[in-house]
Amino acid sequence: DNAILTTMGYNNICVGIDMPPALWTTATLYGLCSAATLNYVLFALHRLKVSSEEHMISLSKPEVVAFYFCNLFYLFGGLVFALCFVNHPWDNLPAHTRPFEIFMVGKLLAVWAVFYEEKLSRKFSEGRYGIDKKKKRILILRHFGIFGM
């Protein structure tokens, strides 16, 4: 019997991760996930800057703010997720699961931002014949960014 089974009615992978020694291992290795999330967000913000400077995309001020919000919320969620390792489900299940929910919402927002950016860049480049090397490189980086999440 455990807090997840009692509350949700079924066990999931968290039951195994929430107990030592798996808890100690995953908490330690999560630093790599945090670093990857930080790297992704920095890359996405840099990509937005370069895309704007190279006139591959045209964003209004509210769109830029929304793009920054989505990516920074994803970063925030990635950092807050570490609290799942601090708050044990048997002590306080909502405090244990909320960081995960925040992380998933942040990831969803970041994915939406990438797809919106892609839609705008396609709309902006309609009617053009061919893409120069620099713009092609940025498009390739954008697609790696989507799959790097």
Side-chain angles (χ1 to χ4, degrees), residues 5-71:
L5 179 63
T6 304
T7 304
M8 298 182 179
Y10 62 91
N11 284 319
N12 61 30
I13 193 167
C14 293
V15 173
I17 294 173
D18 289 335
M19 299 297 293
L23 175 64
W24 304 327
T25 305
T26 54
T28 303
L29 292 176
Y30 185 71
L32 298 173
C33 295
S34 293
T37 302
L38 175 63
N39 192 38
Y40 172 80
V41 170
L42 292 175
F43 171 76
L45 298 179
H46 176 70
R47 187 184 64 238
L48 178 68
K49 180 179 179 255
V50 171
S51 295
S52 295
E53 289 172 353
E54 296 294 324
H55 304 292
M56 291 186 62
I57 192 168
S58 179
L59 294 172
S60 67
K61 184 119 176 137
E63 288 170 331
V64 171
V65 169
F67 190 83
Y68 269 79
F69 173 79
C70 290
N71 282 285

Side-chain angles (χ1 to χ4, degrees), residues 95-131:
H96 177 73
T97 56
R98 292 295 179 262
F100 174 76
E101 293 167 355
I102 291 168
F103 184 44
M104 290 299 105
V105 169
K107 192 168 193 169
L108 178 65
L109 291 173
V111 169
W112 282 349
V114 168
F115 281 109
Y116 185 71
E117 178 192 4
E118 179 69 18
K119 179 182 171 189
L120 288 178
S121 66
R122 285 177 188 246
K123 180 180 173 186
F124 190 73
S125 63
E126 272 180 9
R128 294 186 182 179
Y129 301 103
I131 301 172

